[in-house]
Amino acid sequence: MTEPTVNYASSSLGDDALEAAFEEALRAIRAERPAPQPLVIGGEELHTGDVIVREDPCHAGVVIGAAHVATTEDVTRAVAAAKTAAGPWRRTPYAERVAMLRAAREDIAQEIAYLSAVVSAETGKTRLEAVGEATEVLDMIAHYCDLMIENDGYCAPLKPSGGDTNFDVMVPYGAFAVISPFNFPVALSIGMMVAALVTGNTVVLKPSDKTPRSTAEIAAILRRHLPAGVLNVLNGGAGVGQALAKSDVDGIAFTGSAHVGWELVATRSPSGLPRPVLAEMGGQNPAIVAASADLEAAAQGIVRSAFGLSGQKCSACRRVVVDRRVADDLIDALVRETEKLVVGDPLDRDSNLGPVIDDSIAARIDEAIATAQQDGRVVTGGRIDRPGNFFAPIIVTDLPLGHRLTREELFAPFLAVTAVDDFDAALAEANAVDYGLSAGVFTGEQAEIDRFLDEIQAGVIYVNRAAGATTGAWPGVQSFCGWKLSGSTGKGGLGLWYLPGFMKEQSRTFAGQQ
């Protein structure tokens, strides 16, 4: 099977063989009783300890993933194994590290249908979203490996002085904890792992307890090509993540909620010395729609970004801020686009959305709907009367300015529309949150585009993009950086400046000519 060309702006797989392979794999996954994923410490697979299970969010009681849970002692041993492997791995020439990761990429490319089906089974993603994620894995590995080669391993000559020869070199920190989320269990885990590994760090990976199988499957492919101890895997929930953060790892890479991310930033290492925490966190992302906008394009881009993966993306469009003069027309267009979407089982080719991941998110949505009915108006959407946590996408209007449903991240297929008087008010409202991940604008006025680019407080921005108002970043095509509470470093993945975050700078001067 050839590599798919699907990305997050695609509207179909466009490949009948891939469609059929995905369906066959998903049916098989649902029919089997999976063995628990092991812990992996120093190259040894350990089938011990308590077991967590993951049920298919489309079919309660159907277990599609399981994993052994790490203890505090396991955390200590895994970090020690990563530190032991760190020296030899750091000294491995970067071209050899790149070759190992590219070889793993080739193996992954042969497993796209299966990996996509595992992701779909654990998360409820549609086939288009799941294959898009698996395809992103391929481009993520290629992009980071290419960056390492293009930058000569991040070693650059400086000006000679007094007969001395000088170099600026980036060197790895050592052992990195990688704590990955449920919503992109293969793409985001690979992104953080490969960035750490290609730059010469070893890794202790903790998958989300909601998606233990997806992340374990992708990690197992990587491990085939790496020396023992370079990649270790610890399963479990928040307690395992906290123990890992409190260990003496040399750095932490994390994607998830702002609450957890900033706790990780504040967690001191046992030595008390500073260490990097590369955290990409949530968003309360706005799309501004000006009076001059193409409303049909705006509605398409907003709906695509608001409701893909049932709104469970950190970059999802959460809020629309629209000029009052066109608000009613835009709302009508949004409802038309939204009500075209089919919510159902990913096995159904017609499904555009699956269920939300679990009962806790579903309960928050139920509460938000009740609040919206009390304080505003629910225009469309709500819980679907069928087993499981299925929701028709929800659009809410008429909430008071500053209402908490427009300020707090819900992580759900829930869109709030706020009407304002002019573009000044739209920018002010768009920026009036503590998050700053992504944002979009729809306008026909260049002056408004210029103001948006200059004044919006977000790291990922899109202009007049019907393919996705606030979503769709792709490795090497867009960068993905959170500002404000959405990111801890001011730099993000997918782009040009992520890899240096996994390294520290060293100046080297050699007396005389070298």
Side-chain angles (χ1 to χ4, degrees), residues 321-406:
V321 186
V322 57
D323 189 297
R324 200 177 305 280
R325 291 169 287 179
V326 296
D328 289 342
D329 289 340
L330 177 68
I331 291 167
D332 289 344
L334 288 171
V335 171
R336 285 195 301 272
E337 289 294 319
T338 298
E339 293 182 350
K340 294 176 185 177
L341 299 175
V342 177
V343 183
D345 190 321
L347 201 54
D348 183 346
R349 292 193 184 192
D350 293 330
S351 293
N352 304 116
L353 304 177
V356 297
I357 191 77
D358 61 18
D359 292 346
S360 63
I361 288 181
R364 294 204 303 268
I365 299 172
D366 289 334
E367 180 185 358
I369 292 171
T371 300
Q373 289 170 333
Q374 175 181 312
D375 298 342
R377 180 168 65 100
V378 177
V379 179
T380 189
R383 185 182 276 274
I384 295 174
D385 186 17
R386 60 177 288 180
N389 292 313
F390 291 87
F391 289 83
I394 301 145
I395 298 176
V396 172
T397 65
D398 301 337
L399 292 170
L401 197 66
H403 192 279
R404 69 177 182 85
L405 290 179
T406 68

Side-chain angles (χ1 to χ4, degrees), residues 501-514:
F502 290 84
M503 299 178 283
K504 50 193 174 185
E505 187 176 18
Q506 186 176 67
S507 174
R508 295 178 176 177
T509 295
F510 299 88
Q513 297 297 321
Q514 297 293 314

Side-chain angles (χ1 to χ4, degrees), residues 38-46 70-71 73-82 204 223 228-229 231-234:
L39 310 177
V40 182
I41 299 176
E44 182 183 0
E45 295 187 354
L46 304 174
T71 64
E73 291 75 19
D74 293 325
V75 172
T76 300
R77 291 195 300 119
V79 172
V204 181
R223 288 195 296 109
L231 173 55
N232 307 273
V233 183
L234 300 173

